[in-house]
Amino acid sequence: LRVLKDVSLNVAAREVVAVVGPNGAGKSTLLKAVFGFNDIFSGSVKFNGNDITARSTHRNVADGLLYLPQGNRAFNELTVHENLLLGGYSLRKVEVQSRLEPVFGMFPDLADMKHRPAYTLSGGERQMLAFGRALVLRPKLLMLDEPSVGLSPKLVADVMEKIRDIRDRLGCSVLVVEQKVKQVLNICDRAIAMRMGEIAFMGTPAKAASGARDIFLQ
């Protein structure tokens, strides 16, 4: 089934781009197509100037392209520390250990609970763990699929702030799909609205907010 039609976009260095739109618009499909999970019938995907359209996902990860699916996913029976180590499964053990300290610096709560099994964490804590596991690999582009799903309003605000913090501290770009439109427009540099597999709007967060009724109700 062809879900996306004539979709063309770019993400610049150190830019946070938000993709918003109703359910079924093709937002998650877009991320999966870029990462290599979905078939691409025509067109191409380029990352750092290289064509990665038909490349395997593990090679994309090695080059710094990471996809974090929705759902606060963690390996439940493993501890927080073991979950983080798995984030660096492709690295040498010494290198993985050296990368944990910056992650704990960004998420100090993870350091305090590193010996706890993941199944004992709250939804917000699991989301932070998922972020931390991804950041072990120091991505150049981090793609997030609805990171706020299932979280309370306060935790949604914390997650949004953390997205901008990740960009500022690590210098990576972020492409985030999000249903919480108002909140994500507060932290992104550019917004893209999708409808029925097509791009309905692309522009500044301010323009997206002022034209939200036209973007989402047409």
Side-chain angles (χ1 to χ4, degrees):
L1 180 65
R2 184 176 178 181
V3 176
L4 304 176
K5 293 162 279 189
D6 300 320
V7 172
S8 180
L9 70 148
N10 71 293
V11 182
R14 298 181 65 91
E15 185 179 30
V16 177
V17 176
V19 182
V20 298
N23 287 331
K27 306 184 299 298
S28 295
T29 299
L30 171 64
L31 296 191
K32 292 173 184 176
V34 171
F35 192 57
F37 277 157
N38 290 345
D39 293 331
I40 296 177
F41 300 103
S42 64
S44 62
V45 178
K46 292 183 178 167
F47 183 58
N48 282 342
N50 300 314
D51 191 321
I52 64 169
T53 309
R55 206 166 66 171
S56 62
T57 55
H58 74 271
R59 287 189 60 196
N60 290 338
V61 169
D63 277 355
L65 177 61
L66 260 70
Y67 166 67
L68 198 59
Q70 63 176 278
N72 310 325
R73 299 190 183 186
F75 296 94
N76 284 331
E77 300 303 323
L78 300 182
T79 66
V80 167
H81 185 249
E82 289 166 339
N83 267 273
L84 293 174
L85 291 178
L86 277 177
Y89 72 94
S90 61
L91 305 174
R92 292 179 303 162
K93 188 174 182 179
V94 169
E95 193 173 4
V96 175
Q97 292 290 351
S98 69
R99 293 189 181 193
L100 291 186
E101 285 309 312
V103 171
F104 287 140
M106 190 172 296
F107 303 101
D109 288 347
L110 293 182
D112 295 336
M113 60 182 69
K114 64 181 180 179
H115 299 302
R116 285 175 53 185
Y119 71 81
T120 67
L121 306 185
S122 68
E125 291 166 346
R126 288 169 67 88
Q127 185 59 273
M128 295 304 168
L129 176 57
F131 277 168
R133 192 176 60 230
L135 297 181
V136 169
L137 286 174
R138 296 179 182 171
K140 298 180 178 73
L141 173 62
L142 180 61
M143 298 193 296
L144 306 172
D145 194 352
E146 297 196 32
S148 74
V149 68
L151 301 182
S152 68
K154 183 188 182 305
L155 288 176
V156 170
D158 291 344
V159 165
M160 294 299 160
E161 192 60 37
K162 191 59 69 176
I163 290 172
R164 191 154 51 185
D165 191 29
I166 288 170
R167 186 274 308 275
D168 293 342
R169 289 202 193 194
L170 301 183
C172 70
S173 305
V174 180
L175 180 61
V176 52
V177 162
E178 185 52 65
Q179 290 279 22
K180 302 289 193 303
V181 177
K182 183 178 180 180
Q183 291 87 337
V184 80
L185 290 181
N186 286 332
I187 59 98
C188 70
D189 301 302
R190 193 155 46 94
I192 294 170
M194 294 187 66
R195 186 172 58 245
M196 300 294 290
E198 299 179 307
I199 291 179
F201 169 87
M202 185 184 298
T204 65
K207 285 186 177 179
S210 65
R213 180 176 294 275
D214 293 332
I215 291 170
F216 295 106
L217 297 184
Q218 284 182 2

